[in-house]
Amino acid sequence: METQRLIFHVDVNSAFLSWTATKMVEEGKPDIRMIPSCVGGDPAKRTSIVTAKSIPAKKYGIRTGEPVSLALRKCPQLLIVPSDFRLYEKYSLAFMDICRQYAPVVEKFSIDECFLDMTGTHKLYPDPVAAACEIKDKIRDTLGFTVNIGIGPNKLLAKMAGDFEKPDKVHTLFADEIPAKLWPLPVGELLGVGESTVRALAKLSVRTIGDLAACSEGLLQSAVGSKLGRQLHHYANGLDDSPVTAEAAEAKGYSVSTTLEENVTTAEQAHKILLELADSVTSRMRADGARAGCISVTIRSTQFKDRSHQRRLEEPTDITGEVFSVAESLFRELWDRRTPLRLLGISLTALSHGEAEQLSLFRDERREKEKQLDKTVDLLRGRFGADIIRRGSIMDSSAGIGRKYKAHLENQKEGGN
């Protein structure tokens, strides 16, 4: 008799804001999850956006991805805290380590969510809901932030269950629960259904996931295309056979990715995120005395389709500005400037160690300045914490040389301002 699959999906509630709040609470500061607050850039910069928000901020109509200046007009007392990918990586590793104490296979889906394959663990954990509650409570009590856990017979249903009522909840979505829990939902809440697909399905009078499940696969394919139509029909009926796959050890490279609460829709948003990712992953690599000879960028669409490009370098690097420059170029090659994106990631591979570098007859003053800048940033963060200094990017159009990179100190105010 074939063993019934059992999959958990663990998702951190408002990850970036929760992780920042957790650190601040540990420092004896107020819990910013309880007040209108957001993670975002410098309000004085036109390109600064909201990347995460508290529940009280949401009540003011503040949306992820909107300009910080607009959010402040909606809520003048909004507390804005800077993003900190090093902190996020720390807590990401910590909560996934707890998950690995319970599941034989854990798949990192993004920095703040993972899948656990609990198949065959019924003797250890006879009650899946009780096991999920134990994991959830251990993460909350040990690390100080909350997660939602969805339980189902496959990855799709587990993830859909995890998106039910939040925060700090456990939900199930098994086959016999699909008619009551899944089918009444608006079709736009199904994985892989974006705004354009919602409009196309509305022409077929398909407005709920149940309508989608009842629609013929052939009719769907004629409306949205063969591949997508088949996938959506399967998803609406709770069908998904994708495996939970454990990631290979990161000894061969360094990587970081992030899933935004709302989709990335502009190049400006993407570039800001890529700069922070490049800053984060290169600092980790420098701490290990490594340099990368290959850089790759991954994007994930709202239909959960991943695309990636990579580039081999003439000379290995550990310089943040150089990694960002290549990542930005790869992103331009990858993105069609139309498809909304939910994940961005950077990976550094083809590693070399030690101080040996290709010698040049001419000293590259620009590279030397950027290397010194990186060393200074690393030193300051090591002494005073990761949020003591922030990286930003500006366009120097008068010089005609594209993007430059600078580090600037943020004023550290009481309460994390």
Side-chain angles (χ1 to χ4, degrees):
M1 182 177 178
E2 186 176 350
T3 302
Q4 173 74 27
R5 293 182 76 202
L6 181 65
I7 309 299
F8 288 6
H9 175 257
V10 184
D11 187 11
V12 180
N13 301 133
S14 300
F16 292 176
L17 189 88
S18 289
W19 289 335
T20 300
T22 298
K23 179 188 176 187
M24 292 174 66
V25 169
E26 289 175 351
E27 295 170 346
K29 298 176 182 177
D31 190 340
I32 63 172
R33 288 167 289 197
M34 301 295 106
I35 62 173
S37 63
C38 76
V39 175
D42 184 348
K45 292 186 177 179
R46 183 177 58 84
T47 56
S48 295
I49 62 170
V50 174
T51 56
K53 61 191 179 298
S54 66
I55 292 175
K58 187 176 181 180
K59 294 177 180 177
Y60 284 85
I62 294 171
R63 294 171 53 84
T64 303
E66 73 180 5
V68 170
S69 57
L70 176 59
L72 283 169
R73 288 199 292 272
K74 293 178 179 178
C75 179
Q77 69 268 33
L78 181 71
L79 175 66
I80 304 167
V81 294
S83 55
D84 184 350
F85 275 93
R86 284 166 193 75
L87 180 70
Y88 305 158
E89 288 170 358
K90 169 190 169 183
Y91 283 126
S92 176
L93 290 170
F95 95 83
M96 290 188 195
D97 282 345
I98 290 177
C99 291
R100 291 187 180 95
Q101 296 173 17
Y102 292 84
V105 180
V106 175
E107 177 184 342
K108 178 181 177 180
F109 191 62
S110 69
I111 196 170
D112 61 348
E113 55 184 323
C114 62
F115 289 101
L116 283 61
D117 193 339
M118 302 291 288
T119 305
T121 64
H122 58 279
K123 290 185 178 179
L124 287 173
Y125 310 110
D127 183 346
V129 173
C133 286
E134 183 178 328
I135 296 170
K136 173 184 72 69
D137 293 347
K138 186 169 186 177
I139 291 171
R140 182 195 62 210
D141 298 341
T142 304
L143 301 177
F145 54 86
T146 63
V147 301
N148 260 42
I149 299 183
I151 305 172
N154 56 46
K155 292 168 73 173
L156 166 75
L157 293 181
K159 182 164 175 58
M160 292 297 297
D163 286 336
F164 292 161
E165 182 189 1
K166 297 180 179 183
D168 199 24
K169 303 287 185 182
V170 171
H171 300 285
T172 63
L173 185 52
F174 292 104
D176 61 345
E177 298 176 301
I178 288 175
K181 292 185 175 181
L182 184 65
W183 284 350
L185 297 176
V187 71
E189 294 192 24
L190 183 67
L191 288 182
V193 178
E195 293 180 6
S196 61
T197 304
V198 169
R199 291 193 294 269
L201 293 174
K203 296 177 182 177
L204 303 178
S205 297
V206 172
R207 292 180 172 82
T208 68
I209 297 177
D211 294 338
L212 184 61
C215 194
S216 75
E217 187 174 314
L219 184 59
L220 290 174
Q221 289 177 321
S222 67
V224 299
S226 176
K227 188 174 181 180
L228 180 58
R230 182 182 303 110
Q231 175 185 295
L232 295 184
H233 191 261
H234 285 183
Y235 279 10
N237 284 281
L239 304 177
D240 173 34
D241 60 1
S242 58
V244 176
T245 55
E247 284 193 342
E250 287 201 355
K252 296 181 179 180
Y254 297 81
S255 65
V256 62
S257 63
T258 182
T259 303
L260 274 295
E261 291 182 358
E262 294 184 13
N263 301 329
V264 172
T265 57
T266 69
E268 286 182 339
Q269 290 174 311
H271 293 164
K272 178 179 176 63
I273 294 165
L274 286 172
L275 176 56
E276 295 205 59
L277 294 176
D279 185 24
S280 173
V281 75
T282 51
S283 67
R284 286 166 48 203
M285 187 172 61
R286 286 193 297 270
D288 293 339
R291 288 173 287 122
C294 184
I295 300 170
S296 65
V297 168
T298 299
I299 62 175
R300 178 176 296 155
S301 71
T302 52
Q303 296 180 355
F304 289 81
K305 301 299 180 183
D306 289 359
R307 297 186 64 212
S308 62
H309 279 187
Q310 68 178 30
R311 183 174 301 169
R312 287 271 178 179
L313 307 179
E314 292 184 3
E315 181 180 345
T317 187
D318 61 1
I319 298 174
T320 298
E322 292 183 350
V323 169
F324 170 62
S325 180
V326 173
E328 192 178 32
S329 175
L330 291 170
F331 177 77
R332 287 198 301 270
E333 296 173 7
L334 277 171
W335 191 43
D336 60 10
R337 303 184 72 86
R338 297 187 306 273
T339 303
L341 303 176
R342 73 182 311 271
L343 177 142
L344 296 173
I346 295 177
S347 296
L348 307 179
T349 54
L351 301 181
S352 58
H353 294 79
E355 295 296 324
E357 287 191 53
Q358 181 176 320
L359 297 177
S360 170
L361 293 175
F362 302 98
R363 184 182 182 88
D364 189 333
E365 292 187 4
R366 178 194 60 82
R367 290 197 87 217
E368 291 300 321
K369 287 180 179 178
E370 290 196 13
K371 289 173 71 172
Q372 188 57 49
L373 170 63
D374 287 340
K375 288 181 180 179
T376 302
V377 169
D378 293 343
L379 178 63
L380 288 172
R381 285 172 172 163
R383 287 184 178 179
F384 304 110
D387 58 354
I388 190 65
I389 195 165
R390 310 294 307 162
R391 286 187 187 267
S393 64
I394 58 172
M395 181 67 75
D396 187 352
S397 56
S398 61
I401 57 174
R403 289 189 180 272
K404 289 186 175 182
Y405 315 99
K406 68 174 183 177
H408 61 87
L409 291 175
E410 293 277 352
N411 290 328
Q412 303 299 301
K413 299 180 181 178
E414 187 66 27
N417 266 335

